[in-house]
Amino acid sequence: MGRVTTRRRVARLTLGAGITRREDTLVVEEPLEIRVGGRSLAVTMRTPGHDVELAAGFLVSEGVISRGEQFASARFCAGDAGVGNTYNVLDVTLAPGVAPPAPELAREFFTTSSCGLCGKASIDAVRTTSAFGVQDDPLRISAETLVGLPDRLRAAQDVFEKTGGLHAAGLYRVADDELLVVREDVGRHNAVDKVVGWALTHDLLPLTGTVLMVSGRASFELTQKALMAGIPMLAAVSAPSSLAVELAIEAGMSVVGFLRGESMVVYAGAQRIVPAQAEGSAA
């Protein structure tokens, strides 16, 4: 696995106090080429670590696989130059009988750390059909529990604590009051793919009764990824996009934004949130 952080000499300037020089910790950003059966599928800019989960989650998001048994193995390999093992090329092997990705899924250029849908030909192409429905998911969560999730996510962000430069995604299971997994990455879509990939490799899909908590905004791509994994609720500390909300309403998914302090804004699926004043009488 490559380095997650690196050290660099920097100059810190403070008005009225001059310049001080010291070393600072930066998060590493490197490309990862994802191949399936030796054929290149996508290149994404990511923070090294949990790359197998990233590839597995990406394949779920693209509708290639939906069950752990369909993901046979993955191995790092040398790039086209054939020089060594840089841990930046990952080749996935699907289980026998699983159809390979359609040729049109291949990304024609880099997916940047800020864009998980770059390379798609049209908005219709990203409305991938999910193998799991969330419309009838029985998830119910108290408002008090929900407002506590950002702090629980932040407490688990070890690399962010050192660098201040990472997005995070966490998967919370309501029935157990447990934050099952937290993943960090320079790309918010990668962090979600790592969470979904973790769930796939633990045979947990569909993720019924869970909340996907993210440290940034609730974009269309994150809503789409949650839906593909069967997650009934997406909660974010920042705003959702209009398309994210439209997709959530269409799919019967809940979207919560501006989850900060003791307040939130519910954009879709408000029936899944139990207000504090009603908790004592909730069934």
Side-chain angles (χ1 to χ4, degrees):
M1 184 183 74
R3 295 175 301 164
V4 176
T5 62
T6 187
R7 300 283 289 176
R8 288 288 185 271
R9 190 75 175 172
V10 300
R12 182 181 182 88
L13 191 153
T14 304
L15 295 179
I19 298 176
T20 58
R21 300 185 183 277
R22 59 178 177 84
E23 282 202 337
D24 197 11
T25 302
L26 303 178
V27 63
V28 170
E29 181 178 28
E30 292 181 354
L32 175 70
E33 180 182 356
I34 300 173
R35 297 178 180 177
V36 178
R39 185 173 183 174
S40 183
L41 178 63
V43 178
T44 184
M45 299 302 295
R46 97 305 189 192
T47 300
H50 306 291
D51 289 330
V52 173
E53 294 175 355
L54 171 57
F58 179 80
L59 291 175
V60 172
S61 297
E62 295 292 337
V64 177
I65 58 176
S66 59
R67 301 189 308 275
E69 64 194 44
Q70 297 174 318
F71 188 94
S73 63
R75 66 181 182 88
F76 289 102
C77 56
D80 292 336
V83 181
N85 187 343
T86 62
Y87 297 99
N88 284 336
V89 180
L90 187 71
D91 195 0
V92 174
T93 299
L94 301 178
V98 179
E104 58 267 24
L105 285 181
R107 304 290 173 88
E108 298 299 328
F109 50 85
F110 278 137
T111 298
T112 70
S113 58
S114 61
C115 177
L117 297 176
C118 297
K120 291 290 190 179
S122 69
I123 200 65
D124 290 336
V126 298
R127 287 187 179 274
T128 312
T129 301
S130 176
F132 312 116
V134 299
Q135 175 79 43
D136 299 322
D137 192 296
L139 170 71
R140 295 293 184 273
I141 183 171
S142 71
E144 182 179 12
T145 298
L146 201 50
V147 297
L149 292 186
D151 286 342
R152 294 174 69 170
L153 180 68
R154 177 67 179 82
Q157 291 181 248
D158 296 333
V159 183
F160 182 87
E161 186 67 28
K162 300 174 183 176
T163 65
L166 284 175
H167 295 282
L171 185 66
Y172 174 77
R173 186 158 58 195
V174 177
D176 303 321
D177 187 28
E178 182 180 0
L179 196 58
L180 298 176
V181 62
V182 173
R183 292 291 182 258
E184 297 178 278
D185 199 278
V186 71
R188 61 179 179 269
H189 60 284
N190 289 336
V192 171
D193 277 341
K194 289 177 178 180
V195 164
V196 172
W198 174 89
L200 179 91
T201 57
H202 285 76
D203 292 318
L204 295 177
L205 268 58
L207 289 165
T208 305
T210 63
V211 178
L212 179 65
M213 180 72 223
V214 297
S215 61
R217 62 188 180 89
S219 62
F220 174 87
E221 59 186 339
L222 300 194
T223 308
Q224 172 81 0
K225 288 177 184 295
L227 178 60
M228 293 300 290
I231 299 172
M233 180 177 290
L234 173 63
V237 299
S238 193
S241 68
S242 62
L243 199 56
V245 174
E246 289 173 17
L247 177 62
I249 293 172
E250 177 184 309
M253 184 178 171
S254 300
V255 171
V256 176
F258 294 107
L259 187 55
R260 305 171 185 175
E262 296 185 349
S263 67
M264 69 190 79
V265 179
V266 184
Y267 293 87
Q271 77 279 1
R272 292 192 172 102
I273 301 173
V274 182
Q277 64 270 23
E279 287 175 19
S281 58

